[in-house]
């Protein structure tokens, strides 16, 4: 057997798939801020969420238990792709001539091509167990929509996907993938909901946003007794399900004989970041490990780096509950950048709290430098990354170059959360020199933030 200093990938057996999800809430110094009802401004109870979610997920949303057992039926589906491999990026290290050791956890081996099925399968399972017939959802780049369509197909559920219009036009094969799994998909804003019709009346050519898509999906689910809403990021139970990534990575890094000095993930809502980072955050909080945890977002949608930490609606129309998060304002509509999965106005409350408390650092990049890093990674490691994941690659390369300048053997771990096989239009644009950098104007952010809801401090 090769020595660990000669191995390229570290692979676990199916029997080593985690049996429990890890709940970061159990290790926080301060409890999370309560979720508030969008109408009353008071903390929500189970009855308020029951029209949208099954009781099992509502319980996970507020759980303070350290772990939550993964049902056997969910682990059985996980076996289709889990455990996912951990790679040592030796060729990238040589290409940039760094003293750093670079590792990446590759979630693109799932049937849907990203980390998203980790929670889609769980949500489909719990909804099926409660007798729900159909799930509704939004999707940005299409990765979440295709993951939920895949999960619904396995559990015999119907699925309706509202896909951000910009991505619906840019990524036709993601639409095809969603339909191949048996779901229906509509460009958002659409004329199927009051929320969509209102946006179209004011902005007929709206590129859409995740906030608008959420409004449509929530309205659809809330007006049909046999339907529930499934969310791909932001909420606690979604981040909980993703922690299988980081738990596997902890074991794989141990087998590699190293522990990361830096853990990096891209951020839209926060699910893939939390999936890798939260188990390492737990190690940091419990044992004082000095690992730096870095969240990376686009300059065109900078909720963590330029947003305000405040209560805001999770959607554009104000139908979803109020959560305390870093937000650009729920009326924020980002430009049609190619990292469609990162075009959300806010960030997960748990991630936002960690940034506010200084446990997690945040940075933002323009898209041309991100694609430059993606090309360099593809030409050295062979995997074409999703534009979203490429933000983590950009930060990783910069960290590795910094290590070289400092003469350090810095160990860097990042989440390669999905492949870019359905994003080649974006690569075409970059290679043709047609991609433009975009920094969201401060005035537009200030204007959106004036529309934050007025919330009294919860008792």
């Amino acid at each position: 057997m090769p020595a660990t200093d000669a191995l390229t990938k570290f692979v676990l057996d199916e029997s080593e798939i985690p049996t429990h999800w890890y709940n970061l809430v159990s290790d926080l110094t301060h409890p999370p801020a309560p979720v508030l009802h969008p109408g009353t401004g008071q903390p929500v109870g189970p009855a308020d969420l029951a029209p949208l979610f099954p009781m099992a997920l509502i319980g996970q949303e507020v759980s303070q238990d350290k772990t939550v057992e993964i049902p056997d039926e969910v682990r059985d589906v996980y076996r289709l792709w889990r455990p996912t491999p951990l790679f040592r990026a030796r060729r990238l290290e040589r290409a940039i001539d760094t003293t750093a050791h670079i590792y990446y956890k590759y979630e693109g081996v799932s049937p849907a091509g990203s980390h998203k099925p980790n929670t889609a399968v769980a949500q489909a399972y719990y909804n099926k167990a409660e007798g729900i017939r159909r799930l509704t959802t939004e999707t940005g780049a299409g990765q979440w929509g295709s993951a939920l369509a895949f999960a619904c197909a396995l559990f015999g559920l119907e699925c309706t996907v509202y896909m951000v219009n910009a991505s619906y036009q840019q990524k036709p094969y993601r639409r095809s993938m969603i339909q191949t799994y048996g779901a229906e998909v509509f460009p958002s804003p659409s004329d199927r909901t009051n929320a969509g019709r209102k946006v179209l009346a004011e902005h007929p050519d709206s590129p859409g946003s995740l906030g608008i898509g959420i409004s449509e999906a929530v309205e659809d689910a809330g007006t049909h007794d046999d339907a529930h809403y499934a969310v791909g990021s932001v909420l606690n139970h979604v981040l909980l399900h993703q922690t299988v990534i980081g738990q596997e990575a902890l074991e794989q890094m141990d087998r590699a004989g190293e522990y990361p000095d830096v853990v990096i993930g891209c951020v839209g809502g926060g699910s893939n970041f939390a999936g890798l980072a939260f188990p390492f955050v737990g190690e940091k909080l419990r044992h004082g490990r000095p690992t730096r945890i870095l969240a990376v977002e686009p300059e065109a949608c900078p909720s963590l780096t330029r947003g305000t930490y405040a209560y805001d609606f999770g959607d554009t129309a104000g139908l979803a509950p109020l959560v305390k998060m870093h937000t650009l304002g729920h009326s924020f509509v980002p430009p049609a950048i190619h990292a469609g999965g990162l075009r959300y106005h806010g960030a997960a409350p748990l991630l936002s709290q960690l940034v506010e408390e200084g446990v997690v650092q945040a940075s933002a990049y323009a898209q041309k430098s991100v694609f430059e890093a993606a090309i360099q990674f593809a030409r050295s490691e062979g995997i074409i990354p999703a534009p979203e994941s490429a933000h983590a690659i950009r930060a990783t390369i910069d960290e590795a170059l910094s290590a070289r300048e400092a003469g350090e053997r810095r160990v860097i771990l990042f989440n390669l959360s999905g492949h870019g096989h359905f994003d080649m239009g974006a690569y075409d644009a970059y290679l043709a020199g047609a991609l433009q950098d975009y920094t969201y104007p401060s005035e537009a952010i200030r204007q959106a933030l004036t529309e934050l809801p007025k919330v009294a401090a919860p008792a």
Side-chain angles (χ1 to χ4, degrees), residues 397-420:
I397 290 175
D398 286 355
E399 280 286 335
L401 294 176
S402 172
R404 182 184 68 187
E405 294 303 312
E408 297 175 0
R409 199 201 71 173
R410 195 174 300 171
V411 179
I412 305 167
L413 168 65
F414 75 91
N415 198 13
L416 181 50
S417 56
H419 66 65

Side-chain angles (χ1 to χ4, degrees), residues 201-224:
E202 298 176 6
H203 306 285
D205 298 322
S206 172
S209 70
L210 282 167
I212 296 170
I214 293 170
S215 294
E216 295 207 85
V218 168
E219 180 183 328
D220 186 345
T223 53
H224 294 88

Side-chain angles (χ1 to χ4, degrees), residues 52 120 123-124 127 132-137 148 152 157-161 226-230:
L52 297 179
Q123 292 188 52
N127 276 284
I132 294 300
R133 182 184 66 83
R134 179 172 67 97
L135 293 181
T136 71
T137 198
L148 188 65
C152 285
L157 298 173
E158 294 182 18
C159 182
T160 302
V161 179
D226 60 350
H228 268 172
Y229 169 63

Side-chain angles (χ1 to χ4, degrees), residues 27 34 73 92 95 100 186 212 259 278 364 397 448:
D27 285 320
E73 295 88 342
L92 178 63
F186 303 97
I212 296 170
Y259 193 88
F278 276 13
I397 290 175

Side-chain angles (χ1 to χ4, degrees), residues 181-430:
Y181 282 133
E184 55 182 359
V185 56
F186 303 97
S188 175
S190 76
D191 62 1
R192 292 170 50 84
T193 66
N194 290 329
R197 288 189 289 269
K198 181 179 178 181
V199 174
L200 289 173
E202 298 176 6
H203 306 285
D205 298 322
S206 172
S209 70
L210 282 167
I212 296 170
I214 293 170
S215 294
E216 295 207 85
V218 168
E219 180 183 328
D220 186 345
T223 53
H224 294 88
D225 292 339
D226 60 350
H228 268 172
Y229 169 63
V231 60
S233 191
V234 178
L235 295 186
N236 293 2
H237 68 270
V238 179
L239 276 54
L240 174 82
H241 299 156
Q242 293 293 352
T243 59
V244 291
I245 304 172
Q247 291 184 75
E248 290 176 4
L250 277 166
E251 176 62 29
Q252 289 163 315
M253 290 298 303
D254 185 62
R255 295 189 187 184
E258 300 201 274
Y259 193 88
D261 300 301
V262 188
V263 173
I264 298 173
C266 68
V267 171
S271 68
N272 97 87
F273 173 86
L276 177 67
F278 276 13
F280 289 92
V281 172
E283 292 290 311
K284 184 182 180 79
L285 294 176
R286 290 193 305 274
H287 306 300
R289 286 187 177 268
T291 306
R292 284 193 296 117
I293 316 288
L294 180 58
V296 188
E297 62 186 5
E299 283 190 351
C301 194
S303 56
L304 290 175
T305 52
R306 297 174 61 198
T308 294
Y309 187 53
Y311 272 101
D312 197 7
F313 296 107
D315 69 315
T316 300
L319 302 176
L322 290 156
V323 294
K324 193 169 187 181
M325 61 181 175
H326 281 271
T327 178
L328 296 165
H330 60 278
S331 64
F332 168 85
V333 178
I337 59 171
H338 283 282
L342 305 186
R343 299 173 67 247
Y344 183 58
H345 67 271
L350 286 179
L351 169 56
S352 295
Q353 180 175 337
L354 293 174
V355 171
E356 195 69 12
E357 294 178 354
V359 178
V360 170
Q361 301 172 9
S363 63
Y365 284 98
Q367 68 175 352
K368 286 200 292 186
S369 70
V370 166
F371 273 89
E372 177 187 31
I375 294 289
Q376 188 169 34
F377 184 84
R379 291 177 181 175
S380 56
E381 291 295 310
I383 298 172
I384 299 173
E388 294 81 10
S389 309
H391 287 70
I393 295 172
R394 174 74 272 166
T396 295
I397 290 175
D398 286 355
E399 280 286 335
L401 294 176
S402 172
R404 182 184 68 187
E405 294 303 312
E408 297 175 0
R409 199 201 71 173
R410 195 174 300 171
V411 179
I412 305 167
L413 168 65
F414 75 91
N415 198 13
L416 181 50
S417 56
H419 66 65
H421 298 170
F422 295 100
D423 302 288
M424 297 315 297
Y427 282 90
D428 283 347
Y430 174 77

